């Protein structure tokens, strides 16, 4: 999709540096804006907020809402919902599962990339609420899931906000991708 405008976001500047390196390797750096922010806090009206911190250096500063602020977007009107697609692979492992993780994951991946909370699925409610505020009508949300996230997350994609909810299993038969259309 050469004409798509793409924003890649992460709360970790180190993760964004890796993403930028990957983009360069694939010759798509000029098509992606990299933005350091908490969930979708760095956006207003489908654009990086003037206060959003861009690791490209084109824009500066801090997320719109603090890390500890409720995960609600100030953007709710129909006209200001601007994205066609939001895709996320959030942290989704439960801290209670930490001892069961493979050592090469537990001891070498940054905690912020692994744990979604005590249970693991705590990120999804805020992310889904913010996505609802930012997706155009008929826009699509695609979420990667933890191995036990589906029962907690599926009910969050309910009417009248969401429709056409679909679950895709991974090769081990575990529900891994949840997608839904914004009404
Ligand atoms: C499972 S990793 C996915 C990394 C990469 N996006 C990918 O798909 O390969 C989860 C990522 O979420 C980021 N993250 C954790 N908390 C976040 C938050 N509150 N807002 C935005 N990103 C967050 C972590 O820094 C980490 O890079």
């Amino acid at each position: 999709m050469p004409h798509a405008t793409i924003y890649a976001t992460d709360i970790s500047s180190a993760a964004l540096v890796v993403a930028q390196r990957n983009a360069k390797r694939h010759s798509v750096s000029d098509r992606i804006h990299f933005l350091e922010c908490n969930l979708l806090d760095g956006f207003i009206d489908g654009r990086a907020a003037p206060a959003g911190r861009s690791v490209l250096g084109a824009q500066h500063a801090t997320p719109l809402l603090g890390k500890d602020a409720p995960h609600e977007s100030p953007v709710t009107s129909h006209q200001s919902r601007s994205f066609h697609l939001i895709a996320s692979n959030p942290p989704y492992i439960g801290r209670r599962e930490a001892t069961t993780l493979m050592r090469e994951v537990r001891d070498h991946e940054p905690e912020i990339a692994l744990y979604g909370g005590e249970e693991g699925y705590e990120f999804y409610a805020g992310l889904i609420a913010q996505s609802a505020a930012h997706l155009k009508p008929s826009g699509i949300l695609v979420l990667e899931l933890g191995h036990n996230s589906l029962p907690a997350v599926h009910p969050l994609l309910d009417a009248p906000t969401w429709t056409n909810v679909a679950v895709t299993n991974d090769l081990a038969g575990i529900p891994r991708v949840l997608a839904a259309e914004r009404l």
Side-chain angles (χ1 to χ4, degrees):
M1 301 182 73
H3 300 297
T5 300
I6 299 168
Y7 291 92
T9 70
D10 203 292
I11 203 165
S12 157
S13 55
L16 287 165
V17 167
V18 175
Q20 281 179 294
R21 204 161 57 217
N22 288 339
K24 194 170 174 196
R25 187 176 295 151
H26 292 285
S27 308
V28 290
S29 298
D30 56 337
R31 294 171 43 199
I32 305 177
H33 307 273
F34 294 89
L35 190 68
E36 185 183 329
C37 63
N38 177 39
L39 298 181
L40 300 176
D41 287 353
F43 296 98
I44 279 188
D45 294 355
R47 294 157 199 257
R53 181 159 47 192
S54 162
V55 279
L56 287 180
Q59 296 131 330
H60 291 285
T62 48
L64 281 178
L65 304 176
K67 231 205 270 190
D68 302 322
H71 297 310
E72 280 176 32
S73 170
V75 182
T76 50
S77 80
H78 185 279
Q79 291 78 5
S80 57
R81 288 165 39 191
S82 304
F83 291 117
H84 291 96
L85 175 74
I86 296 175
S88 177
N89 174 15
Y92 52 60
I93 296 171
R95 282 194 180 274
R96 57 165 65 218
E97 296 175 73
T99 54
T100 66
L101 292 180
M102 290 184 296
R103 273 189 56 201
E104 56 266 39
V105 174
R106 188 188 60 217
D107 296 345
H108 297 284
E109 296 288 337
E111 289 207 352
I112 199 172
L114 295 178
Y115 301 114
E118 195 55 28
E119 301 298 331
Y121 47 73
E122 286 86 341
F123 260 84
Y124 293 98
L127 186 55
I128 288 171
Q130 287 200 330
S131 299
H134 286 289
L135 278 172
K136 286 177 181 292
S138 302
I140 304 292
L141 174 63
V142 185
L143 300 169
E144 182 165 331
L145 296 176
H147 70 96
N148 56 358
S149 306
L150 186 66
V153 183
H154 197 292
L156 301 173
L157 294 167
D158 54 357
T161 306
W162 301 99
T163 186
N164 287 329
V165 180
V167 180
T168 305
N169 290 354
D170 65 16
L171 295 179
I174 297 167
R176 189 58 73 184
V177 179
L178 189 55
E181 179 182 339
R182 175 71 162 105
L183 282 165

